[in-house]
Amino acid sequence: MKGRAVAAIGALIVGGAHASASGNGVVQWDIQRSQRPQEFRRLRNRASTFEETITNEQARGGYFATCRLGTPAQNLTLQLDTGSSDIWVPDSNARVCTKKTGQGCALGTFTPDQSTTFVVVGQGDFNISYVDGSSSIGDYFTDVFEIGGATLRNMTMGLGIETDISYGLVGVGYAVNEAIVGTTKSLSSVYPNLPVNMVDEGLINTVAYSLWLNDLDASSGNILFGGIDTKKYKGDLTRIDIYPTVQNLFTAFLVALTSLEGVSSSGSDTLTSQHFPVPVVLDSGTTLSYLPTDLASQLWKEVGAIYSHDFGAAVLPCSMQNSKGYFSFGFAGPNGPRINVTMDELVLDVTSGQPPVFASGRYKGQDVCEFGVQNFSSAPYLLGDTFLRSAYVVYDLVNNQVGIAATDFNSTDSNVVAFPSMSAQIPSATVAPDQSEVTNQPTVTSPGYAASKGFTETGEASAAAGMPAAFGTGHLVMVGVTMVLTALGSGVFLIL
Ligand SMILES: *[C@@H]1O[C@H](CO)[C@@H](O)[C@H](O)[C@H]1NC(C)=O
Ligand SMILES: *[C@@H]1O[C@H](CO)[C@@H](O)[C@H](O)[C@H]1NC(C)=O
Ligand SMILES: *[C@@H]1O[C@H](CO)[C@@H](O)[C@H](O)[C@H]1NC(C)=O
Ligand SMILES: *[C@@H]1O[C@H](CO)[C@@H](O)[C@H](O)[C@H]1NC(C)=O
Ligand SMILES: *[C@@H]1O[C@H](CO)[C@@H](O)[C@H](O)[C@H]1NC(C)=O
Ligand SMILES: *[C@@H]1O[C@H](CO)[C@@H](O)[C@H](O)[C@H]1NC(C)=O
């Protein structure tokens, strides 16, 4: 727990530079037109898959990939984000990078005038805001971009000239959620973002990729463009629908969370919410997960977490990471896929140094950790890294489906299967059977908290709910542990 920030930055620099893997021999050429034809231009005869190692940066609360930009190439380490759709990089003159106080931009900056292939294509047009209030403003430009051994010769990106984020992002969401669409309020300003450009350049066959984040304690996972890796998950890969966010437009990885169960040695509880089916966005750029307050507070009660107003978050003793209880997240109806998330994935350090301690109450003297599921009072509800690590997720942006399975933590095997063609279905996946039942509103009841004893070994979890959560003074030095990098984009969260 201690000194993790320093260790993680070391791992980041070492861990980023892995090359691509490709799934050979599965490529066919019966390309179909998709429903968004202007985004998919020519397809050339080299399609396969590209894999990039992504580094788990716990101190920064996200997953980072090493990318190369410009001519000659400048190295930048960028956060991978399924919740937004632009690549952007901090300009080397951005104040956040040059100012004397603070850490600067240790993950790299971009110096445009040192790239001979840099072209401004939208001066002052780049303006992205994220759900957590951070933002980046500057120009759109095109240049050479490399990730996972794939080279895009003409990639449109944002240059963050005025920003409060000290590193750039690789947004791999739907192109219609690009910041430019929000700025111009026009879908005609959509440009081919990274996954679309990879298809345009013939590098992959369809607009799809798979994300394997791996264990909280593992230093890296990977993103595989254009294919799936059947050795990175257990059980079946199930296809579930992505829902349109507004006017039949697919802009975010919005899926239906239809059940949530708390399970432990002492029993199991079906948690309920007036919000079921809960529309949740699968967002790798968000560190924690955020559910409606009525549902989140039931999870807290199971594990004995306390909402701290000082902290603005639900917290619990760090020792709870040893609890054997888990939560089972169900999607897409009664017989849809279930992802079990164990407590060791749900208890996070709050600082990189000496943790704060509970100053009073039942947990007095124990180290304070943050619980991986927090609450929002309104949409967008988000399943971030605390959920996504336990799942292998395939994002199919052409068929508007997600393939989901239980992850195989720390798997070292690999069997890459490429999507054979444009708009092909997710390989090896079966469709969830009862998605039509997703609209059913369940009855809201209060669970009996039968599982709570098994979460907390003392068996007095719910009794802790009313405890004051005071912290020892002078300890609460927060690092940027939690990011909510869901782009506000084109105002697309007017959901359900
Ligand atoms: C960029 O990274 C590559 C390896 O990915 C390395 O060979 C090269 O020296 C790096 N360049 C700079 C300027 O750091
Ligand atoms: C960027 O967008 C935000 C939110 O839409 C807006 O308030 C701000 O004025 C814009 N900034 C610039 C420089 O265009
Ligand atoms: C580069 O990409 C932009 C945006 O998609 C496009 O408008 C432009 O024509 C492309 N330039 C070249 C040389 O292909
Ligand atoms: C995965 O590897 C990490 C780092 O070696 C280890 O801490 C963790 O316990 C492993 N997880 C599983 C489920 O084996
Ligand atoms: C997940 O939890 C549910 C409920 O306890 C259980 O039925 C199922 O077998 C578990 N799945 C896996 C893959 O462990
Ligand atoms: C989260 O829950 C706490 C405790 O119920 C409440 O005080 C707080 O306002 C909620 N936060 C949000 C964003 O809804």
Side-chain angles (χ1 to χ4, degrees):
M1 179 183 315
K2 294 185 192 70
R4 203 168 250 176
V6 176
I9 287 171
L12 180 72
I13 290 158
V14 180
H18 292 268
S20 62
S22 58
N24 295 318
V26 287
V27 181
Q28 295 175 8
W29 301 112
D30 48 335
I31 306 303
Q32 297 168 17
R33 304 260 336 147
S34 81
Q35 47 275 62
R36 288 175 288 146
Q38 78 282 9
E39 290 176 29
F40 312 116
R41 291 176 293 142
R42 73 219 135 82
L43 291 165
R44 281 182 288 112
N45 198 358
R46 289 168 34 225
S48 96
T49 60
F50 289 86
E51 183 175 289
E52 169 72 24
T53 299
I54 48 176
T55 312
N56 179 10
E57 250 292 87
Q58 289 199 30
R60 290 178 196 268
Y63 284 80
F64 289 76
T66 300
C67 306
R68 289 155 63 79
L69 194 57
T71 314
Q74 302 176 32
N75 293 348
L76 279 90
T77 299
L78 305 174
Q79 181 168 6
L80 185 77
D81 185 17
T82 60
S84 67
S85 305
D86 297 89
I87 298 173
W88 73 264
V89 291
D91 184 283
S92 51
N93 287 321
R95 206 171 313 139
V96 67
C97 304
T98 58
K99 71 177 182 206
K100 297 279 185 289
T101 56
Q103 299 185 320
C105 296
L107 301 187
T109 61
F110 184 58
T111 309
D113 47 10
Q114 284 174 15
S115 172
T116 56
T117 41
F118 170 85
V119 179
V120 172
V121 294
Q123 192 154 20
D125 287 348
F126 175 63
N127 181 353
I128 192 163
S129 308
Y130 299 97
V131 165
D132 66 4
S134 57
S135 65
S136 180
I137 293 171
D139 303 331
Y140 272 109
F141 69 99
T142 59
D143 209 331
V144 181
F145 180 80
E146 283 178 50
I147 185 170
T151 302
L152 289 310
R153 285 180 298 272
N154 178 30
M155 186 69 232
T156 302
M157 296 171 270
L159 184 64
I161 296 171
E162 211 178 291
T163 176
D164 48 6
I165 311 174
S166 63
Y167 47 80
L169 271 86
V170 178
V172 290
Y174 282 103
V176 293
N177 201 36
E178 289 162 3
I180 188 70
V181 176
T183 304
T184 59
K185 304 264 179 277
S186 165
L187 287 178
S188 63
S189 47
V190 168
Y191 66 85
N193 72 345
L194 180 63
V196 176
N197 201 354
M198 282 183 150
V199 173
D200 288 353
E201 290 296 319
L203 299 170
I204 57 175
N205 289 322
T206 191
V207 189
Y209 48 85
S210 306
L211 207 52
W212 180 64
L213 297 185
N214 205 1
D215 205 324
L216 177 59
D217 290 320
S219 60
S220 63
N222 64 44
I223 182 166
L224 177 67
F225 292 98
I228 70 163
D229 187 338
T230 63
K231 293 288 169 67
K232 294 286 187 278
Y233 61 86
K234 294 190 284 198
D236 296 329
L237 187 60
T238 308
R239 300 195 323 254
I240 62 174
D241 290 336
I242 298 172
Y243 289 82
T245 44
V246 62
Q247 294 165 354
N248 294 323
L249 211 54
F250 294 88
T251 66
F253 301 120
L254 183 70
V255 299
L257 174 68
T258 47
S259 70
L260 188 49
E261 200 184 343
V263 185
S264 81
S265 56
S266 68
S268 69
D269 291 300
T270 300
L271 309 185
T272 64
S273 167
Q274 59 168 322
H275 299 276
F276 272 124
V278 183
V280 287
V281 175
L282 304 177
D283 182 8
S284 74
T286 291
T287 316
L288 306 178
S289 296
Y290 296 87
L291 292 176
T293 301
D294 65 343
L295 188 55
S297 49
Q298 292 170 37
L299 278 90
W300 302 342
K301 223 167 161 181
E302 292 284 1
V303 303
I306 305 168
Y307 186 84
S308 159
H309 289 276
D310 292 346
F311 200 77
V315 296
L316 76 180
C318 297
S319 60
M320 282 299 291
Q321 66 199 18
N322 302 320
S323 164
K324 295 285 173 256
Y326 62 90
F327 292 99
S328 187
F329 290 70
F331 296 89
N335 297 306
R338 277 178 162 222
I339 301 296
N340 296 346
V341 183
T342 52
M343 283 298 282
D344 54 340
E345 301 292 332
L346 289 172
V347 180
L348 281 78
D349 301 335
V350 292
T351 76
S352 55
Q354 183 71 27
V357 294
F358 288 93
S360 61
R362 175 174 305 283
Y363 300 141
K364 185 170 181 201
Q366 298 191 50
D367 290 346
V368 175
C369 272
E370 189 163 30
F371 188 52
V373 181
Q374 299 289 335
N375 61 319
F376 272 171
S377 49
S378 61
Y381 302 112
L382 306 172
L383 293 181
D385 297 337
T386 51
F387 168 80
L388 289 171
R389 275 188 276 267
S390 298
Y392 185 77
V393 184
V394 187
Y395 299 84
D396 173 355
L397 288 72
V398 176
N399 297 305
N400 301 312
Q401 286 186 329
V402 150
I404 194 164
T407 195
D408 192 351
F409 285 122
N410 294 345
S411 164
T412 51
D413 292 347
S414 179
N415 175 40
V416 170
V417 181
F419 281 76
S421 58
M422 171 55 78
S423 62
Q425 298 283 357
I426 298 169
S428 307
T430 51
V431 71
D434 304 312
Q435 294 197 70
S436 55
E437 292 178 40
V438 161
T439 48
N440 291 355
Q441 297 286 334
T443 328
V444 180
T445 53
S446 184
Y449 299 104
S452 63
K453 275 190 180 161
F455 273 97
T456 58
E457 276 145 29
T458 58
E460 293 176 34
S462 38
M467 294 286 158
F471 297 114
T473 50
H475 287 308
L476 210 58
V477 184
M478 286 291 292
V479 291
V481 209
T482 59
M483 304 296 297
V484 187
L485 295 178
T486 303
L488 288 172
S490 22
V492 290
F493 287 109
L494 313 163
I495 24 185
L496 303 187

